[in-house]
């Protein structure tokens, strides 16, 4: 008992130290090319940057982590342990989110670990609603079978039937094209099955290798921040990359910590998205940022990504 208490005391000290490290680093500044830019219409921010000028590999894509968890589990009982977003998929997209991260189980219901929520049909309906209300917004929809679960039967066919008219086919040349060159197709759908065959080249779905990341499972904010920088530094610049690379500005509850609810833990790093981008410029990694995801997305996170996109399109970054 005594050793356990001692361990928790040390853990709290470590968390405090890491939070202090990021707070002090923030004094170095959060400015970077485009940091002062704020889109007048977040729902249509890609259209606002001129689809004829914006290349796919110039975009800094605002994404959400565990996107469809706004109603997961039971309110006040199990939800705090798995909820990573408070907004519906539609509201996230309308806010400016352009990368959606969905985990499914065998019956096509969305899940996070052992907790479940609504059907994939709800996600599809929200995506279609958003697409019907906009004209030039491109979405990356990532769907994966949750760890420990089997793939939903014939799920690739389901995705193709539901989104067929919007799907951008798997093709390396997409990265160098402008938004207008892809329209009216609007969705890059990455399907990551557990055991089923991966989507093939040229198909309407994209395979797992086209959206990569280096997941760091920690609740320590400075450890995650520094790890994200390190992994990003190892990637080639976006101009020469034929895949999307994601950095997640999140930290995660871990079993040996007394705080197991998502929101108070992820809050430790949530406010440092602009600092991360500024540090990428300071260290020479800014040409590698592409997909940037967060828990509980808000307007400022979207603006941070859109601002850098704007700077790239204008030749200022």
């Amino acid at each position: 008992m005594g050793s356990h208490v001692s361990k928790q005391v040390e853990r709290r000290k470590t968390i405090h130290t890491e939070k202090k490290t990021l707070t002090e680093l923030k004094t170095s500044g959060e400015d970077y090319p485009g940091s002062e830019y704020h889109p007048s219409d977040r729902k249509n921010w890609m259209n606002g940057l001129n689809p004829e000028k914006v290349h796919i590999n110039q975009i800094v894509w605002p994404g959400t982590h565990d996107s469809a968890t706004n109603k997961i589990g039971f309110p006040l009982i199990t939800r705090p342990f798995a909820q990573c977003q408070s907004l519906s998929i539609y509201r996230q997209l309308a806010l400016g989110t352009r990368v959606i991260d969905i985990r499914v189980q065998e019956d096509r219901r969305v899940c996070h670990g052992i907790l479940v929520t609504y059907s994939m049909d709800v996600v599809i309906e929200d995506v279609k609603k958003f697409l019907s209300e906009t004209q030039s917004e491109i979405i990356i929809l990532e769907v994966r079978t949750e760890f420990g679960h089997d793939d939903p039967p014939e799920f690739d066919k389901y995705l193709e039937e539901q989104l067929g008219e919007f799907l951008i086919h798997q093709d390396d040349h997409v990265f160098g094209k402008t938004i207008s060159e892809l329209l009216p197709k609007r969705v890059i759908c990455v399907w990551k099955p557990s055991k089923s065959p991966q989507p093939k080249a040229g198909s309407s779905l994209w395979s797992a290798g086209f959206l990569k990341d280096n997941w760091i499972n920690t609740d320590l904010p400075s450890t995650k921040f520094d790890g994200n920088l390190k992994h990003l530094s190892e990637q080639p610049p976006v101009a020469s990359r034929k895949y999307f690379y994601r950095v997640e500005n999140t930290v995660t509850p871990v079993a040996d910590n007394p705080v197991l609810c998502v929101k108070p833990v992820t809050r430790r790093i949530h406010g440092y998205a602009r600092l991360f981008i500024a540090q990428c410029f300071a260290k020479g990694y800014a040409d590698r940022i592409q997909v940037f995801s967060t828990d509980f997305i808000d307007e400022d996170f979207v603006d941070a990504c859109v601002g850098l996109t704007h700077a790239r399109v204008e030749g200022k970054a």
Side-chain angles (χ1 to χ4, degrees), residues 272-290:
Y272 297 104
R274 289 182 177 272
L275 177 64
F276 183 83
I277 297 175
Q279 284 296 298
C280 286
F281 274 94
K283 296 179 180 296
Y285 311 151
D287 61 350
R288 301 163 201 198
I289 306 173
Q290 193 170 38

Side-chain angles (χ1 to χ4, degrees), residues 59-300:
I59 298 169
V60 180
W61 303 75
T64 50
H65 166 243
D66 262 313
S67 306
T69 52
N70 57 305
K71 293 185 178 180
I72 199 158
F74 296 99
L76 305 177
I77 301 173
T78 57
R79 186 169 298 170
F81 301 105
Q83 184 183 31
C84 299
Q85 306 298 330
S86 57
L87 303 177
S88 68
I89 296 299
Y90 171 77
R91 290 181 64 195
Q92 290 175 43
L93 293 169
L95 185 71
T97 303
R98 292 296 177 266
V99 180
I100 300 296
D101 159 26
I102 306 296
R103 326 296 178 80
V104 294
Q105 61 180 25
E106 299 89 329
D107 60 0
R108 295 183 186 170
R109 292 178 72 186
V110 177
C111 61
H112 185 181
I114 62 172
L115 297 180
V116 297
T117 182
Y118 41 73
S119 165
M120 185 66 193
D121 291 344
V122 176
V123 174
I124 296 292
E125 288 171 7
D126 275 9
V127 168
K128 286 183 174 179
K129 179 181 179 182
F130 174 76
L131 293 174
S132 73
E133 295 173 356
T134 56
Q135 295 183 331
S136 305
E137 307 304 300
I138 304 291
I139 299 168
I140 299 175
L141 173 62
E142 177 196 29
V143 189
R144 72 178 86 174
T145 300
E146 179 69 306
F147 180 77
H149 290 272
D150 291 329
D151 301 319
E154 299 188 323
F155 196 66
D156 53 346
K157 294 181 181 178
Y158 165 79
L159 291 171
E160 290 169 342
E161 290 171 358
Q162 294 294 319
L163 296 169
E165 64 181 299
F166 301 109
L167 293 174
I168 299 168
H169 284 226
Q170 184 184 145
D171 180 1
D172 284 354
H173 294 99
V174 165
F175 296 94
K177 292 185 176 181
T178 63
I179 290 175
S180 63
E181 289 176 310
L182 297 178
L183 298 175
K185 306 296 185 181
R186 310 270 300 282
V187 179
I188 295 172
C189 185
V190 182
W191 166 224
K192 298 182 176 181
S194 173
K195 298 176 182 177
S196 302
Q198 289 279 336
K200 296 179 180 179
S203 71
S204 58
L205 304 177
W206 295 60
S207 55
F210 284 100
L211 179 54
K212 301 180 181 181
D213 54 35
N214 292 97
W215 175 250
I216 303 168
N217 187 31
T218 182
D219 64 346
L220 299 175
S222 184
T223 295
K224 184 65 174 282
F225 190 97
D226 292 341
N228 281 342
L229 282 171
K230 176 181 180 295
H231 288 304
L232 185 64
S233 74
E234 296 165 352
Q235 301 299 315
V238 292
S240 61
R241 217 156 59 206
K242 300 301 181 183
Y243 59 88
F244 296 100
Y245 183 77
R246 172 172 50 205
V247 172
E248 301 208 74
N249 190 60
T250 63
V251 286
T252 309
V254 294
D256 64 347
N257 191 294
V259 183
L260 296 176
C261 296
V262 174
K263 183 169 279 188
V265 172
T266 201
R267 192 178 292 141
R268 297 168 188 167
I269 199 172
H270 190 270
Y272 297 104
R274 289 182 177 272
L275 177 64
F276 183 83
I277 297 175
Q279 284 296 298
C280 286
F281 274 94
K283 296 179 180 296
Y285 311 151
D287 61 350
R288 301 163 201 198
I289 306 173
Q290 193 170 38
V291 177
F292 199 24
S293 293
T294 188
D295 292 325
F296 301 103
I297 196 164
D298 57 23
E299 291 90 345
D300 188 65

Side-chain angles (χ1 to χ4, degrees), residues 1-10:
M1 179 67 179
S3 62
H4 177 74
V5 172
S6 177
K7 183 179 179 181
Q8 294 304 325
V9 170
E10 288 302 314

Side-chain angles (χ1 to χ4, degrees), residues 297-308:
I297 196 164
D298 57 23
E299 291 90 345
D300 188 65
F301 187 89
V302 171
D303 290 3
C305 297
V306 178
L308 179 50

